[in-house]
Amino acid sequence: MTGDPESALAHQFRELAGAPKETEWPVDFHFSIGGYPIRVTYSVQDFIRLRSPYAPRAQRPVDGAQVTYREPAGAPLSAVRPMSIELRPETSEHRAAKVALVSTEVQTGDPPFDHEVYIHSPSDPLIVQRVLGSPELRASVRELLAEGFSSIDIDDERGEICAHLQAFTDRHCSPGCAARMLDAFATIARNVPHVARSSALRPADTGRTLLLVGGVLCAVLLLLGAPVYFLAAGDRCDFENNGGASVLLSWDGCFTPVPLGLAAGLPVGLALAAAVSSRIRGRSDSHERASSAYAILVILAAQLAIALSAAVLWAT
C-alpha cells in the first residue's frame, strides 16, 4: 500500500474493524484482541490513539530477579491511582539530565528497555517496577515506540492504558502495520498487574503548583501589561497628537523604561533563575521543570523591572 502514511494506516484500522467509511472525525474503531477491548480513535486532534482499560481482570504481579519490592513475592499490589506511568523514547536530553544528576529515572533492570525508554511517573518507583515487570510488556512497549508512538501512558487519569501516534512515516504504509500495533498494545494490556486503589493520598506537588502559578503570572503580565503600560504612558506615546513625544531619545520617552528595565532585570533574573533551577532535581521530570523555572524567572524579572522603571521614571 502506498500514498499518504496517515491515511494508509487509518485505512488498515478501518478494514480490520470492518467499519464503514466515515466522513466526520473523530472515528472510533473497536477491537477485542485476546479478550481485551481496544478502542482506536482517529481524529484531527489526536491523530491515532489506542486505549484499553487498565487491568480489566486481576492478574498475578510478575516476580523475578529484576524486580524487587518490600512486599512478599506475589502479594497484592496497591497504590495511589492513577499511577500515571508515562513511557517515552529516551533522548540525549534525558541521558544528559541523568548523567548530571538532575533527573532520576526508575530502572527496570532490562538494559535494552532502560536504554530506549524513559519512564516518568509520580508513583512509588517500586510500584512502577512491578507494573513494568513483565518482559513481554516491556518488549511490546519498545515495539510500539519503534513504530513511531510518541508516548504510552499506563493508568492515566481515566484509568486506562493509552498510546499516542502523532507522526507518520512510510513504514506505516506497509501491510500488517495496524495489526502489529494492535497485537503489541494488547500484550501490554494483558501483562499489566492488578493494582488496587490505595486509600492514601499522593503528596501535594508544590513545585508543579509554583510553576503553574508562575506561568499564569507571566501570561497575565504579558496580556495585560501592554495596555496598562500605554495607559500609564499617556501623552508620552501619543505620537500623532503630541509632537514632543519621544520614542527613546529622552528620559521621558515612550519606550525608555523597556531597555532600562531589561538592563536591570535580566542580570537579576538570570542569576535568580540559575540559583533556583540548580536546586530542582531528583524527579524524572526535573530537567523539564528546571528549564521551565529558568524561563519563567527570567521573564518575570524582566517584566517587573520594566514596570518598576516606568513607575520611577514617569512618577518624577
Side-chain angles (χ1 to χ4, degrees), residues 95-178:
R95 298 186 185 107
K98 290 190 289 184
V99 170
L101 303 181
V102 173
S103 295
T104 302
E105 181 203 15
V106 173
Q107 298 293 288
T108 65
D110 179 346
F113 182 90
D114 291 334
H115 180 73
E116 297 175 14
V117 182
Y118 195 78
I119 305 168
H120 168 61
S121 175
S123 296
D124 185 332
L126 298 176
I127 284 288
V128 175
Q129 287 179 330
R130 290 293 290 273
V131 171
L132 301 177
S134 163
E136 292 81 7
L137 180 151
R138 295 194 300 269
S140 293
V141 167
R142 292 175 59 203
E143 182 178 347
L144 283 181
L145 294 182
E147 290 282 3
F149 281 80
S150 59
S151 65
I152 300 169
D153 299 313
I154 297 180
D155 191 29
D156 63 8
E157 69 281 355
R158 300 171 62 172
E160 295 182 331
I161 303 168
C162 183
H164 304 266
L165 180 65
Q166 297 174 308
F168 300 88
T169 63
D170 288 342
R171 68 181 300 162
H172 296 139
C173 294
S174 63
C177 184

Side-chain angles (χ1 to χ4, degrees), residues 187-213:
T187 300
I188 296 173
R190 182 168 59 250
N191 284 281
V192 291
H194 175 73
V195 179
R197 187 178 300 274
S198 171
S199 59
L201 298 177
R202 183 168 287 133
D205 192 343
T206 305
R208 182 174 182 272
T209 301
L210 289 175
L211 287 175
L212 288 174
V213 171

Side-chain angles (χ1 to χ4, degrees), residues 33-110:
I33 310 295
Y36 288 85
I38 298 176
R39 184 173 79 256
V40 178
T41 300
Y42 178 47
S43 70
V44 66
Q45 296 89 359
D46 300 304
F47 297 95
I48 289 180
R49 181 178 60 192
L50 281 62
R51 282 192 173 276
S52 183
Y54 180 90
R57 46 183 175 271
Q59 300 176 59
R60 182 180 182 275
V62 175
D63 306 315
Q66 295 180 337
V67 180
T68 59
Y69 192 64
R70 62 173 65 95
E71 296 179 356
L77 297 180
S78 65
V80 178
R81 303 282 302 271
M83 293 178 287
S84 302
I85 301 172
E86 182 184 25
L87 309 172
R88 294 175 284 176
E90 184 163 307
T91 65
S92 57
E93 180 185 3
H94 294 138
R95 298 186 185 107
K98 290 190 289 184
V99 170
L101 303 181
V102 173
S103 295
T104 302
E105 181 203 15
V106 173
Q107 298 293 288
T108 65
D110 179 346

Side-chain angles (χ1 to χ4, degrees), residues 230 233-247 253-255:
F230 287 109
D235 290 343
R236 296 176 182 85
C237 296
D238 188 359
F239 303 110
E240 292 185 0
N241 301 317
N242 181 12
S246 172
V247 177
C254 176
F255 294 110

